[in-house]
Amino acid sequence: MKIAVLLSGSGTNLQSLLDAEAAGFFKSEIALVVSNKADAYGLKRAEAMNKKTYVEGDDDLVSVLEKEGIDFIVLAGYLKILSGDLLHRYEGRIINIHPSLLPAYGGKGMYGIKVHEAVFEAGEVRSGATVHYVNETVDGGKILLQSSVDIRRLRSPKEIQETVLVLEHELLKTAVRFCEEGIL
């Protein structure tokens, strides 16, 4: 599969995918890294690995993806909500990593540290990460993989975030591998 990774920030999940690709963990190629923010550090990570990058602008993203022959899309900290033609053309071929055990702590406005703050304030004893298919409902697509961890010993949302990020990295690369093998 030729994969496009969409991101908005630092790109730690992208880096885990780049490392997995380089190690032969999956056979797919990360062919394009897209960001809606020109200053996203994830773009620098991609360029350091000689990956083609694209900053969203006036061009139609679907056209860019099709021009590059993209088969599959991975959302890795991408903060824009997908809709319309992109969702329809790539239906069943877009996955997202979310830093909670969906359906809990998902939906519009629940991303990054905001998720971990909500988990912490609620006094949850477990948290984790979820990989799911993307559809019209924010964080509402079919759940593919989840992993959880006991967070009772953690003392802040930041500690939860750091702990869950480790799970995210493992889950996301595993999801790509399972998708290319037809397991998911």
Side-chain angles (χ1 to χ4, degrees), residues 58-97:
D58 295 333
D59 292 340
D60 176 42
L61 183 55
V62 173
S63 297
V64 172
L65 296 171
E66 289 179 345
K67 178 182 169 201
E68 295 299 325
I70 299 301
D71 304 303
F72 198 78
I73 299 170
V74 176
L75 306 184
Y78 185 67
L79 300 182
K80 276 182 70 176
I81 305 299
L82 298 182
S83 63
D85 194 36
L86 181 63
L87 281 181
H88 295 295
R89 294 226 188 163
Y90 284 90
E91 183 177 354
R93 296 183 292 147
I94 306 173
I95 61 173
N96 181 46
I97 184 80

PDB file of all heavy atoms in Angstrom, residues 58-97:
ATOM      1  N   ASP A  58      -4.690  25.684  -1.265  1.00  0.00           N
ATOM      2  CA  ASP A  58      -5.862  25.840  -2.123  1.00  0.00           C
ATOM      3  C   ASP A  58      -6.163  24.596  -2.955  1.00  0.00           C
ATOM      4  O   ASP A  58      -7.273  24.416  -3.422  1.00  0.00           O
ATOM      5  CB  ASP A  58      -5.678  27.034  -3.055  1.00  0.00           C
ATOM      6  CG  ASP A  58      -5.615  28.340  -2.278  1.00  0.00           C
ATOM      7  OD1 ASP A  58      -6.202  28.405  -1.186  1.00  0.00           O
ATOM      8  OD2 ASP A  58      -4.977  29.280  -2.770  1.00  0.00           O
ATOM      9  N   ASP A  59      -5.168  23.739  -3.135  1.00  0.00           N
ATOM     10  CA  ASP A  59      -5.384  22.539  -3.943  1.00  0.00           C
ATOM     11  C   ASP A  59      -6.341  21.590  -3.236  1.00  0.00           C
ATOM     12  O   ASP A  59      -6.394  21.531  -2.009  1.00  0.00           O
ATOM     13  CB  ASP A  59      -4.062  21.800  -4.190  1.00  0.00           C
ATOM     14  CG  ASP A  59      -3.122  22.579  -5.078  1.00  0.00           C
ATOM     15  OD1 ASP A  59      -3.587  23.477  -5.795  1.00  0.00           O
ATOM     16  OD2 ASP A  59      -1.910  22.290  -5.037  1.00  0.00           O
ATOM     17  N   ASP A  60      -7.062  20.826  -4.031  1.00  0.00           N
ATOM     18  CA  ASP A  60      -7.964  19.816  -3.517  1.00  0.00           C
ATOM     19  C   ASP A  60      -7.140  18.635  -3.005  1.00  0.00           C
ATOM     20  O   ASP A  60      -6.368  18.035  -3.773  1.00  0.00           O
ATOM     21  CB  ASP A  60      -8.919  19.384  -4.628  1.00  0.00           C
ATOM     22  CG  ASP A  60      -9.833  18.256  -4.214  1.00  0.00           C
ATOM     23  OD1 ASP A  60     -10.352  18.290  -3.083  1.00  0.00           O
ATOM     24  OD2 ASP A  60     -10.018  17.336  -5.035  1.00  0.00           O
ATOM     25  N   LEU A  61      -7.279  18.295  -1.727  1.00  0.00           N
ATOM     26  CA  LEU A  61      -6.481  17.225  -1.136  1.00  0.00           C
ATOM     27  C   LEU A  61      -6.724  15.891  -1.832  1.00  0.00           C
ATOM     28  O   LEU A  61      -5.786  15.126  -2.039  1.00  0.00           O
ATOM     29  CB  LEU A  61      -6.755  17.109   0.367  1.00  0.00           C
ATOM     30  CG  LEU A  61      -5.925  16.077   1.125  1.00  0.00           C
ATOM     31  CD1 LEU A  61      -4.431  16.281   0.926  1.00  0.00           C
ATOM     32  CD2 LEU A  61      -6.287  16.106   2.608  1.00  0.00           C
ATOM     33  N   VAL A  62      -7.950  15.613  -2.219  1.00  0.00           N
ATOM     34  CA  VAL A  62      -8.241  14.358  -2.918  1.00  0.00           C
ATOM     35  C   VAL A  62      -7.409  14.272  -4.202  1.00  0.00           C
ATOM     36  O   VAL A  62      -6.822  13.227  -4.499  1.00  0.00           O
ATOM     37  CB  VAL A  62      -9.748  14.221  -3.223  1.00  0.00           C
ATOM     38  CG1 VAL A  62     -10.006  13.006  -4.108  1.00  0.00           C
ATOM     39  CG2 VAL A  62     -10.554  14.120  -1.938  1.00  0.00           C
ATOM     40  N   SER A  63      -7.323  15.355  -4.936  1.00  0.00           N
ATOM     41  CA  SER A  63      -6.536  15.368  -6.177  1.00  0.00           C
ATOM     42  C   SER A  63      -5.066  15.099  -5.891  1.00  0.00           C
ATOM     43  O   SER A  63      -4.414  14.358  -6.631  1.00  0.00           O
ATOM     44  CB  SER A  63      -6.675  16.707  -6.889  1.00  0.00           C
ATOM     45  OG  SER A  63      -8.005  16.931  -7.267  1.00  0.00           O
ATOM     46  N   VAL A  64      -4.542  15.701  -4.832  1.00  0.00           N
ATOM     47  CA  VAL A  64      -3.141  15.487  -4.461  1.00  0.00           C
ATOM     48  C   VAL A  64      -2.906  14.018  -4.111  1.00  0.00           C
ATOM     49  O   VAL A  64      -1.931  13.406  -4.568  1.00  0.00           O
ATOM     50  CB  VAL A  64      -2.742  16.408  -3.278  1.00  0.00           C
ATOM     51  CG1 VAL A  64      -1.363  16.056  -2.750  1.00  0.00           C
ATOM     52  CG2 VAL A  64      -2.814  17.869  -3.695  1.00  0.00           C
ATOM     53  N   LEU A  65      -3.802  13.439  -3.312  1.00  0.00           N
ATOM     54  CA  LEU A  65      -3.659  12.036  -2.918  1.00  0.00           C
ATOM     55  C   LEU A  65      -3.739  11.106  -4.125  1.00  0.00           C
ATOM     56  O   LEU A  65      -2.950  10.167  -4.247  1.00  0.00           O
ATOM     57  CB  LEU A  65      -4.737  11.672  -1.895  1.00  0.00           C
ATOM     58  CG  LEU A  65      -4.655  12.417  -0.558  1.00  0.00           C
ATOM     59  CD1 LEU A  65      -5.903  12.140   0.279  1.00  0.00           C
ATOM     60  CD2 LEU A  65      -3.397  12.073   0.211  1.00  0.00           C
ATOM     61  N   GLU A  66      -4.672  11.382  -5.015  1.00  0.00           N
ATOM     62  CA  GLU A  66      -4.808  10.541  -6.207  1.00  0.00           C
ATOM     63  C   GLU A  66      -3.610  10.679  -7.135  1.00  0.00           C
ATOM     64  O   GLU A  66      -3.144   9.692  -7.702  1.00  0.00           O
ATOM     65  CB  GLU A  66      -6.119  10.860  -6.920  1.00  0.00           C
ATOM     66  CG  GLU A  66      -7.323  10.358  -6.140  1.00  0.00           C
ATOM     67  CD  GLU A  66      -8.653  10.673  -6.790  1.00  0.00           C
ATOM     68  OE1 GLU A  66      -8.713  11.526  -7.715  1.00  0.00           O
ATOM     69  OE2 GLU A  66      -9.660  10.069  -6.359  1.00  0.00           O
ATOM     70  N   LYS A  67      -3.092  11.889  -7.265  1.00  0.00           N
ATOM     71  CA  LYS A  67      -1.906  12.120  -8.108  1.00  0.00           C
ATOM     72  C   LYS A  67      -0.715  11.315  -7.590  1.00  0.00           C
ATOM     73  O   LYS A  67       0.090  10.806  -8.374  1.00  0.00           O
ATOM     74  CB  LYS A  67      -1.573  13.610  -8.126  1.00  0.00           C
ATOM     75  CG  LYS A  67      -0.339  13.954  -8.921  1.00  0.00           C
ATOM     76  CD  LYS A  67      -0.039  15.439  -8.851  1.00  0.00           C
ATOM     77  CE  LYS A  67       1.329  15.719  -9.422  1.00  0.00           C
ATOM     78  NZ  LYS A  67       1.870  16.989  -8.967  1.00  0.00           N
ATOM     79  N   GLU A  68      -0.629  11.189  -6.271  1.00  0.00           N
ATOM     80  CA  GLU A  68       0.477  10.441  -5.662  1.00  0.00           C
ATOM     81  C   GLU A  68       0.203   8.936  -5.584  1.00  0.00           C
ATOM     82  O   GLU A  68       1.047   8.180  -5.110  1.00  0.00           O
ATOM     83  CB  GLU A  68       0.770  10.978  -4.253  1.00  0.00           C
ATOM     84  CG  GLU A  68       1.270  12.401  -4.246  1.00  0.00           C
ATOM     85  CD  GLU A  68       2.577  12.590  -5.005  1.00  0.00           C
ATOM     86  OE1 GLU A  68       3.439  11.683  -4.981  1.00  0.00           O
ATOM     87  OE2 GLU A  68       2.742  13.652  -5.637  1.00  0.00           O
ATOM     88  N   GLY A  69      -0.981   8.510  -6.028  1.00  0.00           N
ATOM     89  CA  GLY A  69      -1.310   7.079  -6.015  1.00  0.00           C
ATOM     90  C   GLY A  69      -1.541   6.515  -4.626  1.00  0.00           C
ATOM     91  O   GLY A  69      -1.263   5.332  -4.374  1.00  0.00           O
ATOM     92  N   ILE A  70      -2.042   7.333  -3.730  1.00  0.00           N
ATOM     93  CA  ILE A  70      -2.246   6.915  -2.342  1.00  0.00           C
ATOM     94  C   ILE A  70      -3.395   5.912  -2.249  1.00  0.00           C
ATOM     95  O   ILE A  70      -4.479   6.135  -2.775  1.00  0.00           O
ATOM     96  CB  ILE A  70      -2.519   8.142  -1.440  1.00  0.00           C
ATOM     97  CG1 ILE A  70      -1.327   9.104  -1.468  1.00  0.00           C
ATOM     98  CG2 ILE A  70      -2.875   7.710  -0.021  1.00  0.00           C
ATOM     99  CD1 ILE A  70      -0.002   8.533  -1.016  1.00  0.00           C
ATOM    100  N   ASP A  71      -3.119   4.808  -1.565  1.00  0.00           N
ATOM    101  CA  ASP A  71      -4.109   3.749  -1.351  1.00  0.00           C
ATOM    102  C   ASP A  71      -4.780   3.838   0.011  1.00  0.00           C
ATOM    103  O   ASP A  71      -5.905   3.362   0.185  1.00  0.00           O
ATOM    104  CB  ASP A  71      -3.431   2.364  -1.406  1.00  0.00           C
ATOM    105  CG  ASP A  71      -2.686   2.114  -2.678  1.00  0.00           C
ATOM    106  OD1 ASP A  71      -3.304   2.207  -3.751  1.00  0.00           O
ATOM    107  OD2 ASP A  71      -1.474   1.835  -2.598  1.00  0.00           O
ATOM    108  N   PHE A  72      -4.068   4.402   0.990  1.00  0.00           N
ATOM    109  CA  PHE A  72      -4.490   4.296   2.383  1.00  0.00           C
ATOM    110  C   PHE A  72      -4.047   5.551   3.122  1.00  0.00           C
ATOM    111  O   PHE A  72      -2.976   6.092   2.830  1.00  0.00           O
ATOM    112  CB  PHE A  72      -3.806   3.065   3.005  1.00  0.00           C
ATOM    113  CG  PHE A  72      -4.415   2.560   4.264  1.00  0.00           C
ATOM    114  CD1 PHE A  72      -5.572   1.802   4.254  1.00  0.00           C
ATOM    115  CD2 PHE A  72      -3.815   2.826   5.491  1.00  0.00           C
ATOM    116  CE1 PHE A  72      -6.125   1.317   5.428  1.00  0.00           C
ATOM    117  CE2 PHE A  72      -4.349   2.362   6.666  1.00  0.00           C
ATOM    118  CZ  PHE A  72      -5.512   1.605   6.637  1.00  0.00           C
ATOM    119  N   ILE A  73      -4.861   6.004   4.069  1.00  0.00           N
ATOM    120  CA  ILE A  73      -4.560   7.229   4.814  1.00  0.00           C
ATOM    121  C   ILE A  73      -4.509   6.909   6.309  1.00  0.00           C
ATOM    122  O   ILE A  73      -5.395   6.228   6.829  1.00  0.00           O
ATOM    123  CB  ILE A  73      -5.629   8.311   4.551  1.00  0.00           C
ATOM    124  CG1 ILE A  73      -5.667   8.674   3.069  1.00  0.00           C
ATOM    125  CG2 ILE A  73      -5.378   9.545   5.412  1.00  0.00           C
ATOM    126  CD1 ILE A  73      -6.846   9.557   2.675  1.00  0.00           C
ATOM    127  N   VAL A  74      -3.486   7.435   6.961  1.00  0.00           N
ATOM    128  CA  VAL A  74      -3.346   7.309   8.409  1.00  0.00           C
ATOM    129  C   VAL A  74      -3.377   8.705   9.013  1.00  0.00           C
ATOM    130  O   VAL A  74      -2.553   9.559   8.664  1.00  0.00           O
ATOM    131  CB  VAL A  74      -2.020   6.611   8.791  1.00  0.00           C
ATOM    132  CG1 VAL A  74      -1.853   6.570  10.301  1.00  0.00           C
ATOM    133  CG2 VAL A  74      -1.954   5.207   8.193  1.00  0.00           C
ATOM    134  N   LEU A  75      -4.325   8.941   9.893  1.00  0.00           N
ATOM    135  CA  LEU A  75      -4.370  10.196  10.634  1.00  0.00           C
ATOM    136  C   LEU A  75      -3.558  10.007  11.905  1.00  0.00           C
ATOM    137  O   LEU A  75      -3.850   9.127  12.711  1.00  0.00           O
ATOM    138  CB  LEU A  75      -5.810  10.593  10.970  1.00  0.00           C
ATOM    139  CG  LEU A  75      -6.793  10.678   9.799  1.00  0.00           C
ATOM    140  CD1 LEU A  75      -8.149  11.185  10.289  1.00  0.00           C
ATOM    141  CD2 LEU A  75      -6.264  11.554   8.688  1.00  0.00           C
ATOM    142  N   ALA A  76      -2.545  10.846  12.072  1.00  0.00           N
ATOM    143  CA  ALA A  76      -1.624  10.723  13.203  1.00  0.00           C
ATOM    144  C   ALA A  76      -1.470  12.088  13.857  1.00  0.00           C
ATOM    145  O   ALA A  76      -0.502  12.797  13.626  1.00  0.00           O
ATOM    146  CB  ALA A  76      -0.283  10.184  12.721  1.00  0.00           C
ATOM    147  N   GLY A  77      -2.485  12.460  14.635  1.00  0.00           N
ATOM    148  CA  GLY A  77      -2.459  13.785  15.238  1.00  0.00           C
ATOM    149  C   GLY A  77      -2.897  14.856  14.264  1.00  0.00           C
ATOM    150  O   GLY A  77      -2.400  15.979  14.296  1.00  0.00           O
ATOM    151  N   TYR A  78      -3.818  14.515  13.392  1.00  0.00           N
ATOM    152  CA  TYR A  78      -4.353  15.451  12.407  1.00  0.00           C
ATOM    153  C   TYR A  78      -5.605  16.077  13.009  1.00  0.00           C
ATOM    154  O   TYR A  78      -6.558  15.370  13.352  1.00  0.00           O
ATOM    155  CB  TYR A  78      -4.677  14.697  11.127  1.00  0.00           C
ATOM    156  CG  TYR A  78      -5.129  15.557   9.975  1.00  0.00           C
ATOM    157  CD1 TYR A  78      -4.251  16.451   9.367  1.00  0.00           C
ATOM    158  CD2 TYR A  78      -6.412  15.445   9.472  1.00  0.00           C
ATOM    159  CE1 TYR A  78      -4.656  17.214   8.281  1.00  0.00           C
ATOM    160  CE2 TYR A  78      -6.819  16.203   8.378  1.00  0.00           C
ATOM    161  CZ  TYR A  78      -5.935  17.083   7.797  1.00  0.00           C
ATOM    162  OH  TYR A  78      -6.337  17.832   6.724  1.00  0.00           O
ATOM    163  N   LEU A  79      -5.597  17.394  13.172  1.00  0.00           N
ATOM    164  CA  LEU A  79      -6.649  18.060  13.931  1.00  0.00           C
ATOM    165  C   LEU A  79      -7.799  18.598  13.093  1.00  0.00           C
ATOM    166  O   LEU A  79      -8.751  19.141  13.648  1.00  0.00           O
ATOM    167  CB  LEU A  79      -6.048  19.177  14.781  1.00  0.00           C
ATOM    168  CG  LEU A  79      -5.010  18.710  15.801  1.00  0.00           C
ATOM    169  CD1 LEU A  79      -4.502  19.875  16.621  1.00  0.00           C
ATOM    170  CD2 LEU A  79      -5.561  17.610  16.700  1.00  0.00           C
ATOM    171  N   LYS A  80      -7.738  18.438  11.777  1.00  0.00           N
ATOM    172  CA  LYS A  80      -8.874  18.832  10.940  1.00  0.00           C
ATOM    173  C   LYS A  80      -9.863  17.670  10.874  1.00  0.00           C
ATOM    174  O   LYS A  80      -9.463  16.504  10.890  1.00  0.00           O
ATOM    175  CB  LYS A  80      -8.418  19.168   9.523  1.00  0.00           C
ATOM    176  CG  LYS A  80      -7.911  20.571   9.345  1.00  0.00           C
ATOM    177  CD  LYS A  80      -7.525  20.859   7.916  1.00  0.00           C
ATOM    178  CE  LYS A  80      -8.717  20.939   6.999  1.00  0.00           C
ATOM    179  NZ  LYS A  80      -8.348  21.324   5.622  1.00  0.00           N
ATOM    180  N   ILE A  81     -11.130  18.021  10.761  1.00  0.00           N
ATOM    181  CA  ILE A  81     -12.169  17.003  10.613  1.00  0.00           C
ATOM    182  C   ILE A  81     -12.350  16.722   9.123  1.00  0.00           C
ATOM    183  O   ILE A  81     -12.579  17.639   8.330  1.00  0.00           O
ATOM    184  CB  ILE A  81     -13.508  17.481  11.228  1.00  0.00           C
ATOM    185  CG1 ILE A  81     -13.310  17.898  12.693  1.00  0.00           C
ATOM    186  CG2 ILE A  81     -14.577  16.412  11.082  1.00  0.00           C
ATOM    187  CD1 ILE A  81     -12.820  16.813  13.616  1.00  0.00           C
ATOM    188  N   LEU A  82     -12.233  15.460   8.746  1.00  0.00           N
ATOM    189  CA  LEU A  82     -12.411  15.075   7.349  1.00  0.00           C
ATOM    190  C   LEU A  82     -13.893  14.996   7.015  1.00  0.00           C
ATOM    191  O   LEU A  82     -14.711  14.613   7.855  1.00  0.00           O
ATOM    192  CB  LEU A  82     -11.766  13.720   7.068  1.00  0.00           C
ATOM    193  CG  LEU A  82     -10.260  13.623   7.269  1.00  0.00           C
ATOM    194  CD1 LEU A  82      -9.790  12.219   6.898  1.00  0.00           C
ATOM    195  CD2 LEU A  82      -9.516  14.662   6.450  1.00  0.00           C
ATOM    196  N   SER A  83     -14.211  15.323   5.780  1.00  0.00           N
ATOM    197  CA  SER A  83     -15.609  15.245   5.350  1.00  0.00           C
ATOM    198  C   SER A  83     -15.669  15.104   3.842  1.00  0.00           C
ATOM    199  O   SER A  83     -14.646  15.115   3.149  1.00  0.00           O
ATOM    200  CB  SER A  83     -16.370  16.506   5.790  1.00  0.00           C
ATOM    201  OG  SER A  83     -15.813  17.649   5.167  1.00  0.00           O
ATOM    202  N   GLY A  84     -16.876  14.978   3.343  1.00  0.00           N
ATOM    203  CA  GLY A  84     -17.157  15.038   1.921  1.00  0.00           C
ATOM    204  C   GLY A  84     -16.480  14.005   1.067  1.00  0.00           C
ATOM    205  O   GLY A  84     -16.397  12.823   1.411  1.00  0.00           O
ATOM    206  N   ASP A  85     -15.980  14.475  -0.078  1.00  0.00           N
ATOM    207  CA  ASP A  85     -15.438  13.610  -1.106  1.00  0.00           C
ATOM    208  C   ASP A  85     -14.286  12.750  -0.605  1.00  0.00           C
ATOM    209  O   ASP A  85     -14.181  11.570  -0.957  1.00  0.00           O
ATOM    210  CB  ASP A  85     -14.987  14.472  -2.298  1.00  0.00           C
ATOM    211  CG  ASP A  85     -14.715  13.646  -3.545  1.00  0.00           C
ATOM    212  OD1 ASP A  85     -15.439  12.654  -3.768  1.00  0.00           O
ATOM    213  OD2 ASP A  85     -13.784  14.007  -4.287  1.00  0.00           O
ATOM    214  N   LEU A  86     -13.430  13.305   0.227  1.00  0.00           N
ATOM    215  CA  LEU A  86     -12.294  12.542   0.748  1.00  0.00           C
ATOM    216  C   LEU A  86     -12.778  11.310   1.508  1.00  0.00           C
ATOM    217  O   LEU A  86     -12.274  10.197   1.296  1.00  0.00           O
ATOM    218  CB  LEU A  86     -11.424  13.423   1.649  1.00  0.00           C
ATOM    219  CG  LEU A  86     -10.192  12.751   2.244  1.00  0.00           C
ATOM    220  CD1 LEU A  86      -9.216  12.327   1.160  1.00  0.00           C
ATOM    221  CD2 LEU A  86      -9.508  13.671   3.220  1.00  0.00           C
ATOM    222  N   LEU A  87     -13.752  11.488   2.391  1.00  0.00           N
ATOM    223  CA  LEU A  87     -14.276  10.356   3.154  1.00  0.00           C
ATOM    224  C   LEU A  87     -14.906   9.307   2.238  1.00  0.00           C
ATOM    225  O   LEU A  87     -14.736   8.105   2.462  1.00  0.00           O
ATOM    226  CB  LEU A  87     -15.317  10.815   4.171  1.00  0.00           C
ATOM    227  CG  LEU A  87     -14.794  11.431   5.458  1.00  0.00           C
ATOM    228  CD1 LEU A  87     -15.954  11.820   6.361  1.00  0.00           C
ATOM    229  CD2 LEU A  87     -13.864  10.479   6.193  1.00  0.00           C
ATOM    230  N   HIS A  88     -15.602   9.749   1.237  1.00  0.00           N
ATOM    231  CA  HIS A  88     -16.278   8.809   0.338  1.00  0.00           C
ATOM    232  C   HIS A  88     -15.287   8.071  -0.558  1.00  0.00           C
ATOM    233  O   HIS A  88     -15.393   6.860  -0.728  1.00  0.00           O
ATOM    234  CB  HIS A  88     -17.341   9.529  -0.483  1.00  0.00           C
ATOM    235  CG  HIS A  88     -18.447  10.072   0.360  1.00  0.00           C
ATOM    236  ND1 HIS A  88     -19.316   9.267   1.071  1.00  0.00           N
ATOM    237  CD2 HIS A  88     -18.805  11.336   0.658  1.00  0.00           C
ATOM    238  CE1 HIS A  88     -20.168  10.008   1.746  1.00  0.00           C
ATOM    239  NE2 HIS A  88     -19.874  11.287   1.517  1.00  0.00           N
ATOM    240  N   ARG A  89     -14.324   8.779  -1.098  1.00  0.00           N
ATOM    241  CA  ARG A  89     -13.348   8.137  -1.997  1.00  0.00           C
ATOM    242  C   ARG A  89     -12.437   7.156  -1.271  1.00  0.00           C
ATOM    243  O   ARG A  89     -11.983   6.185  -1.858  1.00  0.00           O
ATOM    244  CB  ARG A  89     -12.491   9.191  -2.694  1.00  0.00           C
ATOM    245  CG  ARG A  89     -13.301  10.030  -3.631  1.00  0.00           C
ATOM    246  CD  ARG A  89     -12.617  10.186  -4.932  1.00  0.00           C
ATOM    247  NE  ARG A  89     -13.372  11.164  -5.710  1.00  0.00           N
ATOM    248  CZ  ARG A  89     -12.900  11.771  -6.744  1.00  0.00           C
ATOM    249  NH1 ARG A  89     -11.683  11.524  -7.138  1.00  0.00           N
ATOM    250  NH2 ARG A  89     -13.642  12.625  -7.406  1.00  0.00           N
ATOM    251  N   TYR A  90     -12.158   7.440  -0.007  1.00  0.00           N
ATOM    252  CA  TYR A  90     -11.252   6.584   0.752  1.00  0.00           C
ATOM    253  C   TYR A  90     -11.988   5.807   1.851  1.00  0.00           C
ATOM    254  O   TYR A  90     -11.368   5.372   2.813  1.00  0.00           O
ATOM    255  CB  TYR A  90     -10.106   7.421   1.341  1.00  0.00           C
ATOM    256  CG  TYR A  90      -9.078   7.781   0.294  1.00  0.00           C
ATOM    257  CD1 TYR A  90      -9.198   8.951  -0.446  1.00  0.00           C
ATOM    258  CD2 TYR A  90      -8.006   6.934   0.026  1.00  0.00           C
ATOM    259  CE1 TYR A  90      -8.269   9.281  -1.417  1.00  0.00           C
ATOM    260  CE2 TYR A  90      -7.073   7.259  -0.945  1.00  0.00           C
ATOM    261  CZ  TYR A  90      -7.212   8.435  -1.667  1.00  0.00           C
ATOM    262  OH  TYR A  90      -6.282   8.741  -2.636  1.00  0.00           O
ATOM    263  N   GLU A  91     -13.272   5.603   1.675  1.00  0.00           N
ATOM    264  CA  GLU A  91     -14.064   4.881   2.681  1.00  0.00           C
ATOM    265  C   GLU A  91     -13.446   3.512   2.953  1.00  0.00           C
ATOM    266  O   GLU A  91     -13.095   2.771   2.041  1.00  0.00           O
ATOM    267  CB  GLU A  91     -15.503   4.708   2.185  1.00  0.00           C
ATOM    268  CG  GLU A  91     -16.392   4.045   3.200  1.00  0.00           C
ATOM    269  CD  GLU A  91     -17.835   3.950   2.733  1.00  0.00           C
ATOM    270  OE1 GLU A  91     -18.179   4.503   1.670  1.00  0.00           O
ATOM    271  OE2 GLU A  91     -18.621   3.320   3.444  1.00  0.00           O
ATOM    272  N   GLY A  92     -13.279   3.217   4.250  1.00  0.00           N
ATOM    273  CA  GLY A  92     -12.687   1.947   4.643  1.00  0.00           C
ATOM    274  C   GLY A  92     -11.182   1.902   4.474  1.00  0.00           C
ATOM    275  O   GLY A  92     -10.557   0.854   4.676  1.00  0.00           O
ATOM    276  N   ARG A  93     -10.583   3.048   4.113  1.00  0.00           N
ATOM    277  CA  ARG A  93      -9.129   3.098   3.914  1.00  0.00           C
ATOM    278  C   ARG A  93      -8.500   4.284   4.637  1.00  0.00           C
ATOM    279  O   ARG A  93      -7.446   4.766   4.246  1.00  0.00           O
ATOM    280  CB  ARG A  93      -8.811   3.165   2.417  1.00  0.00           C
ATOM    281  CG  ARG A  93      -9.257   1.916   1.665  1.00  0.00           C
ATOM    282  CD  ARG A  93      -8.876   1.959   0.213  1.00  0.00           C
ATOM    283  NE  ARG A  93      -9.632   2.996  -0.490  1.00  0.00           N
ATOM    284  CZ  ARG A  93      -9.153   3.709  -1.511  1.00  0.00           C
ATOM    285  NH1 ARG A  93      -7.922   3.532  -1.935  1.00  0.00           N
ATOM    286  NH2 ARG A  93      -9.906   4.616  -2.100  1.00  0.00           N
ATOM    287  N   ILE A  94      -9.177   4.743   5.696  1.00  0.00           N
ATOM    288  CA  ILE A  94      -8.642   5.824   6.531  1.00  0.00           C
ATOM    289  C   ILE A  94      -8.733   5.367   7.976  1.00  0.00           C
ATOM    290  O   ILE A  94      -9.811   4.993   8.454  1.00  0.00           O
ATOM    291  CB  ILE A  94      -9.443   7.137   6.392  1.00  0.00           C
ATOM    292  CG1 ILE A  94      -9.571   7.579   4.942  1.00  0.00           C
ATOM    293  CG2 ILE A  94      -8.786   8.238   7.237  1.00  0.00           C
ATOM    294  CD1 ILE A  94     -10.508   8.777   4.744  1.00  0.00           C
ATOM    295  N   ILE A  95      -7.589   5.391   8.666  1.00  0.00           N
ATOM    296  CA  ILE A  95      -7.586   5.065  10.089  1.00  0.00           C
ATOM    297  C   ILE A  95      -7.050   6.249  10.887  1.00  0.00           C
ATOM    298  O   ILE A  95      -6.331   7.096  10.357  1.00  0.00           O
ATOM    299  CB  ILE A  95      -6.783   3.787  10.417  1.00  0.00           C
ATOM    300  CG1 ILE A  95      -5.302   3.932  10.030  1.00  0.00           C
ATOM    301  CG2 ILE A  95      -7.431   2.571   9.761  1.00  0.00           C
ATOM    302  CD1 ILE A  95      -4.426   2.772  10.488  1.00  0.00           C
ATOM    303  N   ASN A  96      -7.426   6.273  12.152  1.00  0.00           N
ATOM    304  CA  ASN A  96      -6.999   7.333  13.064  1.00  0.00           C
ATOM    305  C   ASN A  96      -6.538   6.708  14.372  1.00  0.00           C
ATOM    306  O   ASN A  96      -7.083   5.694  14.811  1.00  0.00           O
ATOM    307  CB  ASN A  96      -8.172   8.282  13.335  1.00  0.00           C
ATOM    308  CG  ASN A  96      -7.785   9.433  14.251  1.00  0.00           C
ATOM    309  OD1 ASN A  96      -6.750  10.062  14.081  1.00  0.00           O
ATOM    310  ND2 ASN A  96      -8.634   9.716  15.226  1.00  0.00           N
ATOM    311  N   ILE A  97      -5.562   7.339  14.991  1.00  0.00           N
ATOM    312  CA  ILE A  97      -5.143   6.959  16.347  1.00  0.00           C
ATOM    313  C   ILE A  97      -5.707   7.998  17.296  1.00  0.00           C
ATOM    314  O   ILE A  97      -5.600   9.199  17.045  1.00  0.00           O
ATOM    315  CB  ILE A  97      -3.599   6.847  16.465  1.00  0.00           C
ATOM    316  CG1 ILE A  97      -3.175   6.360  17.856  1.00  0.00           C
ATOM    317  CG2 ILE A  97      -2.898   8.139  16.112  1.00  0.00           C
ATOM    318  CD1 ILE A  97      -3.288   4.905  18.073  1.00  0.00           C
TER     319      ILE A  97
END
